[in-house]
Amino acid sequence: DGGITQSPKYLFRKEGQNVTLSCEQNLNHDAMYWYRQDPGQGLRLIYYSQIVNDFQKGDIAEGYSVSREKKESFPLTVTSAQKNPTAFYLCASSSLADTDTQYFGPGTRLTVL
Amino acid sequence: RKEVEQDPGPFNVPEGATVAFNCTYSNSASQSFFWYRQDCRKEPKLLMSVYSSGNEDGRFTAQLNRASQYISLLIRDSKLSDSATYLCVVPNMDTGRRALTFGSGTRLQVQP
């Protein structure tokens, strides 16, 4: 089955620790995105990538880092510099020909204790 | 003005009712618009696209009013399963960047 997966589904971390969220897709999409959603809020763009080994900051990149070493994978690291990391993190992908149609993974709910 | 604004609701309606949500957008150059549906604690899923004046898919109708810069979503004959948050989405128009700008969503609760 083609799709986009994220792991883990739930993640708990202690304050001051870095944590990496996984995102994998087998849709052969070039573009991948990371969004953050807070309760009662819309999604906000953290980082996006349109090609391997290249990525761009979104609206709220501070305290986050990404890598794109493979087309299928776009992991997000939430660093200790992110002041309010507790949120629902969603990864998405799209083809470059149609970046308006994005397919989302099931999300990772991160809680900082 | 926010790029995309929605009434958060909740809209509480009985089964079988017709309900409509509006969404306003700030960038008059926007050409395409989307409604996504998000169930509680799940990922958003594309419901409808709107590229011209409107689009209809079964019980769902999306309409675009360019002059007033709003799009609407009409749901007829509401079902219990329609209960969800509906996100209005407009592609970001920044040069060289193609990402989506999401509204904060309108919550719909259909009651038996």
Side-chain angles (χ1 to χ4, degrees):
Chain A
D1 271 44
I4 181 164
T5 59
Q6 291 184 243
S7 62
K9 190 171 181 179
Y10 298 97
L11 188 57
F12 298 87
R13 131 184 156 191
K14 290 183 182 177
E15 219 172 301
Q17 289 180 337
N18 291 358
V19 63
T20 297
L21 281 57
S22 165
C23 177
E24 305 275 335
Q25 54 96 1
N26 61 4
L27 299 167
N28 199 33
H29 285 161
D30 287 298
M32 296 187 74
Y33 313 82
W34 273 105
Y35 293 91
R36 168 185 171 137
Q37 187 176 32
D38 293 285
Q41 302 291 319
L43 280 64
R44 291 184 290 165
L45 183 67
I46 305 172
Y47 268 100
Y48 67 102
S49 167
Q50 295 182 325
I51 195 169
V52 173
N53 292 323
D54 188 52
F55 45 83
Q56 307 295 328
K57 291 182 180 180
D59 298 317
I60 54 165
E62 186 176 347
Y64 299 98
S65 66
V66 293
S67 63
R68 187 88 186 273
E69 296 176 3
K70 297 187 299 180
K71 186 176 181 177
E72 303 79 20
S73 179
F74 191 40
L76 173 76
T77 297
V78 184
T79 75
S80 55
Q82 169 48 234
K83 297 197 185 324
N84 297 296
T86 294
F88 188 38
Y89 290 88
L90 288 153
C91 180
S93 70
S94 74
S95 69
L96 284 179
D98 182 12
T99 56
D100 292 346
T101 303
Q102 296 184 12
Y103 299 83
F104 285 85
T108 292
R109 197 165 295 275
L110 172 64
T111 302
V112 174
L113 305 170
Chain B
R1 182 180 178 182
K2 283 186 181 176
E3 288 184 69
V4 181
E5 284 198 79
Q6 296 182 250
D7 180 343
F11 284 61
N12 295 304
V13 303
E15 265 187 294
T18 295
V19 61
F21 316 131
N22 277 350
C23 164
T24 58
Y25 61 93
S26 60
N27 192 330
S28 59
S30 297
Q31 295 295 313
S32 54
F33 308 87
F34 305 88
W35 284 102
Y36 277 68
R37 171 196 168 123
Q38 186 175 27
D39 292 297
C40 190
R41 305 174 83 83
K42 300 279 190 177
E43 74 273 24
K45 293 186 178 174
L46 180 63
L47 178 66
M48 295 188 76
S49 308
V50 187
Y51 295 103
S52 55
S53 59
N55 189 10
E56 185 171 329
D57 183 5
R59 298 183 294 108
F60 297 83
T61 301
Q63 291 193 313
L64 169 62
N65 184 317
R66 288 192 188 276
S68 300
Q69 292 184 214
Y70 76 83
I71 59 173
S72 62
L73 179 67
L74 180 79
I75 305 175
R76 289 180 295 277
D77 189 22
S78 300
K79 313 287 184 196
L80 293 175
S81 57
D82 293 334
S83 298
T85 296
Y86 291 84
L87 303 171
C88 175
V89 181
V90 180
N92 191 296
M93 300 299 292
D94 286 351
T95 302
R97 169 177 151 173
R98 294 298 288 173
L100 301 177
T101 298
F102 287 77
S104 55
T106 297
R107 194 154 66 87
L108 170 66
Q109 185 65 49
V110 181
Q111 295 162 337

